[in-house]
Amino acid sequence: MKEAVRFLFALITISGLFACGGGGTDQATYTIGGNLAGLVGQITLLNNGGNALTLSSNGDFTFDTTAASGTTYTITIASQPPEQLCGITNSSGTVTGKVSSVVIYCSTRYVISTFAGSTFPGQMDGVGASATFNSIRGLGIDGSGNIYVSDNGNNKIRKITSDGLVTTLAGSGAITNGTMGSQDGVGLAASFYNPNKLAVGKSGSVYVTDNYGIRKIAPNAEVTTLTTAINYIGGIAVDANENVFVTHDNDILEINPSGVVTTFAGAGLAGNKDGIGTAASFYSPGDLAIDESGNIYVDDTYNNSMRMITYAGVVTTVGAFTCRSFDLI
């Protein structure tokens, strides 16, 4: 009887050991995965050079094969869409539990192509590469995606539609004694002299700086002179109310729709001081741009900094550079 009890006790003990894992050789395994974003197409991932996983949609992902605790993993990209560039963060490590920290991010590669114009100077209208320009100085885009170009060498303002059709919006191209490209008129009946920077207003009107000041081209191609009070303008931008702002010497000037010029910010002398209106100072400000809230951003060239002017005229420095900056995009 005692032998039977001992045998039964031993059997129960052995069964308990197996049930609890005692005496076994099983090792814990965990899944490896993470998140994929920005993919357009299909990507194939590898873990430690194998265990391929092909994905065609963004979101969380997990490799089919698990990895044992204590082993290492290295996720690499075997293939990706040809038009995209994908990268990985947290791509490798040691498995101590479930891995979900691998991040794959994809972005579209920049493809540079000629939208309009050729390598040879000219003034030919046409589609794409059949059109020619001569020394482009300024660009602007309207709400419909049309691009406007100040064709300085031809003394014309050109228009490029979204499908690449280039036409001459305004300007005869002629510089004659007495008028020197200052003629107002409609389309080709008008003339410019060294058109430089330009900006497009909400109304679709194009504002151009040339040697005579600021010219306005209405949507019907009628050219008028907004003001001749200023010239040699560094940059130009237009707000939602069709007020024009330009950089001139060390000031930011405002021209209202009636052509009245006032100093919006700047003391007239070179400096580097934040403040309100004329209490602030700049040193040869260049290009400028306006955001949807009416804030003006100025490339303060010789101060190597980016300045912001609120709609109320408060000037602050929002960024600094180690070298001179030139253009705002």
Side-chain angles (χ1 to χ4, degrees):
M1 181 66 179
K2 291 182 179 180
E3 292 298 326
V5 171
R6 289 175 181 171
F7 176 77
L8 181 60
F9 179 76
L11 184 61
I12 293 172
T13 301
I14 294 172
S15 298
L17 287 172
F18 278 106
C20 295
T25 58
D26 290 343
Q27 187 177 11
T29 60
Y30 300 97
T31 58
I32 297 176
N35 184 265
L36 170 65
L39 178 69
V40 179
Q42 185 171 281
I43 187 172
T44 298
L45 308 177
L46 300 178
N47 181 18
N48 293 329
N51 189 19
L53 174 64
T54 299
L55 303 170
S56 57
S57 60
N58 295 298
D60 295 335
F61 66 87
T62 303
F63 280 86
D64 296 332
T65 303
T66 58
S69 179
T71 61
T72 60
Y73 65 91
T74 300
I75 309 303
T76 56
I77 298 172
S79 65
Q80 59 189 306
E83 70 277 6
Q84 288 202 294
L85 183 64
C86 301
I88 310 177
T89 58
N90 304 322
S91 61
S92 61
T94 301
V95 177
T96 58
K98 178 182 178 181
V99 177
S100 59
S101 58
V102 180
V103 177
I104 313 292
Y105 50 93
C106 300
S107 60
T108 301
R109 300 175 188 266
Y110 290 103
V111 178
I112 300 175
S113 59
T114 300
F115 183 58
S118 70
T119 56
F120 301 99
Q123 53 182 317
M124 183 73 68
D125 289 340
V127 178
S130 66
T132 54
F133 302 87
N134 187 5
S135 187
I136 294 173
R137 295 291 178 86
L139 294 172
I141 303 176
D142 67 16
S144 300
N146 298 303
I147 301 172
Y148 298 89
V149 176
S150 59
D151 192 351
N152 179 270
N154 289 319
N155 293 300
K156 295 180 177 182
I157 307 303
R158 316 286 291 281
K159 176 181 177 180
I160 313 173
T161 63
S162 58
D163 56 2
L165 174 63
V166 179
T167 57
T168 299
L169 177 67
S172 63
I175 301 177
T176 57
N177 292 331
T179 60
M180 290 297 290
S182 63
Q183 185 68 43
D184 289 342
V186 178
L188 302 184
S191 59
F192 298 86
Y193 185 36
N194 285 336
N196 198 347
K197 300 291 186 177
L198 60 77
V200 184
K202 295 288 186 181
S203 67
S205 294
V206 180
Y207 297 85
V208 183
T209 69
D210 71 1
N211 279 22
Y212 288 97
I214 300 174
R215 317 288 294 283
K216 175 183 177 181
I217 310 174
N220 66 351
E222 181 181 4
V223 179
T224 55
T225 300
L226 184 63
T227 180
T228 58
I230 46 179
N231 52 21
Y232 303 109
I233 296 166
I236 183 171
V238 187
D239 69 11
N241 298 315
E242 300 289 316
N243 296 302
V244 177
F245 296 85
V246 300
T247 55
H248 178 255
D249 290 336
N250 296 306
D251 293 331
I252 310 302
L253 305 181
E254 177 182 359
I255 305 94
N256 71 15
S258 298
V260 177
V261 180
T262 56
T263 300
F264 186 65
L269 299 176
N272 187 16
K273 183 180 179 182
D274 290 341
I276 301 176
T278 55
S281 59
F282 303 84
Y283 190 4
S284 191
D287 218 344
L288 50 79
I290 300 178
D291 67 18
E292 293 181 354
S293 300
N295 298 308
I296 303 172
Y297 297 87
V298 182
D299 169 21
D300 195 355
T301 307
Y302 284 95
N303 284 322
N304 303 319
S305 60
M306 185 68 64
R307 316 288 293 279
M308 184 181 83
I309 314 173
T310 67
Y311 194 76
V314 179
V315 180
T316 56
T317 301
V318 295
F321 312 101
T322 57
C323 58
R324 294 175 187 170
S325 52
F326 295 97
D327 292 318
L328 259 180
I329 299 176

